[in-house]
Structure formats: structure tokens, C-alpha cells
Amino acid sequence: EAGVTQSPTHLIKTRGQQATLRCSPISGHTSVYWYQQALGLGLQFLLWYDEGEERNRGNFPPRFSGRQFPNYSSELNVNALELEDSALYLCASSLVLAGTDTQYFGPGTRLTVL
Amino acid sequence: AQSVTQLGSHVSVSEGALVLLRCNYSSSVPPYLFWYVQYPNQGLQLLLKYTSAATLVKGINGFEAEFKKSETSFHLTKPSAHMSDAAEYFCAVSSMDTGRRALTFGSGTRLQVQP
């Protein structure tokens, strides 16, 4: 069974540009989560999508946005990039069942903002 | 609100020695607890999880963790360290209150294994 996949592996942008990161969940999983792992800041929750809807959002500005497609894959968009957006962006997927919610992570996209 | 504290940002052990990585949590409702491992330049791999069943949880690669409600702890152990265990380990908590399914992570513990 294929795991969570993310693309691209690396992305280099300049300040002010937009970045688009993509995630494909494990087959059968309907929830997708995005996390940011920035140097010195640890792993921080960004967004949660389930069944095509945004369900929860972390403490990030609105220029961080995304969507989930009918096939449950997801896109994270970061507008007006700032230097501090440089980080590893991790996507996770889960199948939310009553009482359980185990998140499985992809390899991440390394975003570098110059 | 929920939080996780991992004591010790760096832990160094000798190959064959006991591994003990500490995690304390705070949660207003019964938590789900997880340990993940991250190898350099990779994503997170699930080691084990506690979801209110047995308090002693066994995971992959010989790791296990014990949920102690009275101590609000979920420490990770392995009887005998292997060189391949060198990585960063993250403890995480998830609670189902208000439908907030996001994971809250600790700051991580980097494990070094000396030959």
C-alpha cells in the first residue's frame, strides 16, 4: 500500500512569490493535515481538511491556505512568501473513525525562500 | 488546551544500553498519545500510539511506552539501543474535544547512539 506522497521534494522561491505544495493521502483516507517544521519552532499544525472541507486551522496568517479535492488529495498555498516561511512542510493523512485518528506522514516538501 | 513537554533535547546512549526518552502531556480530556521518529531529511514515522486501551504499548523496532495517568507521562523506552536508532523522536498528543484533531508535538529529542 502506497504511503502519503508529497510534491515537489524541494521548492525554491523568492520573497513575495507564491508557493504551491501538493499531497496525496493514503488510499481510503479522507482527512489531510498540514504541518510546518521550521528551524527553532518545532512542528506546528497548519490546516486540517476532511471530506473537502477545512475543519480546523492553526495559528497562521490567511496567506496560508489550501484545499482538498474530490479524490482527497490536497494543496497548500502560501502567498506573499516571507523569509521565515522557509521550512519543511509535512502532510499527513488519516481515516477518522470513532475513537481513533492516527496520522501518517509523508516525506515533506522543503521550501526555501530567498 | 493541550501541550507536550519532552525533557532533554539531546540524549546520548551507548550501543546496547537502555533508551529512555521522556514525555509529559497536559490535556483536559483523555488524550491519545503518539511517538514518532524522524530520520534526517525525512518525514515522520509512527512508532507507537496509545488510544485508551492497554497502558503499555508496544511499537515498531523494539520500542514501547507506558501511559501513566497519575504522572501524565508517556515515556518511550527500548531495552537495547542500536546504531540505527539514532534519530529525532517526537511525542505528540491529540484530543477529541471540540473536534480538534490536530496533533500537538513536543519539541523533540535527538537520540545519539555511541558505538
Side-chain angles (χ1 to χ4, degrees):
Chain A
E1 179 184 285
V4 177
T5 60
Q6 293 186 243
S7 63
T9 304
H10 293 90
L11 190 57
I12 300 175
K13 295 286 186 178
T14 56
R15 283 180 61 190
Q17 286 189 312
Q18 178 193 33
T20 298
L21 290 64
R22 296 179 176 83
C23 172
S24 291
I26 292 171
S27 177
H29 286 191
T30 61
S31 274
V32 170
Y33 307 78
W34 289 95
Y35 293 84
Q36 183 197 64
Q37 188 176 27
L39 202 60
L41 294 178
L43 280 151
Q44 298 184 79
F45 166 70
L46 262 167
L47 290 158
W48 167 35
Y49 292 95
D50 183 60
E51 298 285 358
E53 300 286 333
E54 182 181 306
R55 304 293 185 184
N56 196 9
R57 183 182 184 86
N59 188 26
F60 282 84
R63 58 191 186 81
F64 286 84
S65 65
R67 54 180 171 166
Q68 186 178 34
F69 299 99
N71 65 355
Y72 303 112
S73 67
S74 177
E75 228 173 52
L76 174 68
N77 295 294
V78 188
N79 294 319
L81 284 166
E82 300 179 3
L83 296 178
E84 53 265 33
D85 297 333
S86 294
L88 181 67
Y89 289 84
L90 293 167
C91 172
S93 75
S94 74
L95 176 60
V96 178
L97 299 172
T100 65
D101 177 25
T102 301
Q103 296 181 28
Y104 297 90
F105 284 79
T109 292
R110 172 80 57 188
L111 173 63
T112 302
V113 182
L114 303 175
Chain B
Q2 54 196 29
S3 64
V4 175
T5 302
Q6 290 185 240
L7 292 175
S9 58
H10 289 84
V11 170
S12 183
V13 301
S14 299
E15 192 174 17
L18 171 72
V19 175
L20 171 61
L21 304 183
R22 299 178 186 273
C23 172
N24 288 88
Y25 70 92
S26 171
S27 177
S28 57
V29 296
Y32 296 139
L33 294 159
F34 305 83
W35 276 99
Y36 287 89
V37 61
Q38 187 176 35
Y39 298 100
N41 299 313
Q42 294 188 26
L44 301 177
Q45 181 181 8
L46 179 68
L47 275 178
L48 49 80
K49 62 182 179 182
Y50 167 76
T51 57
S52 74
T55 56
L56 182 62
V57 181
K58 294 187 183 298
I60 62 171
N61 301 338
F63 285 94
E64 63 181 37
E66 186 172 8
F67 173 70
K68 292 187 176 180
K69 184 178 179 181
S70 60
E71 299 177 9
T72 61
S73 69
F74 190 57
H75 302 330
L76 182 71
T77 60
K78 181 174 180 178
S80 177
H82 191 272
M83 296 296 290
S84 60
D85 295 327
E88 188 150 24
Y89 292 79
F90 293 92
C91 181
V93 63
S94 173
S95 64
M96 305 299 274
D97 62 330
T98 69
R100 292 180 62 86
R101 299 182 188 273
L103 290 172
T104 299
F105 286 90
S107 54
T109 298
R110 186 166 297 279
L111 176 66
Q112 285 184 309
V113 182
Q114 309 289 348

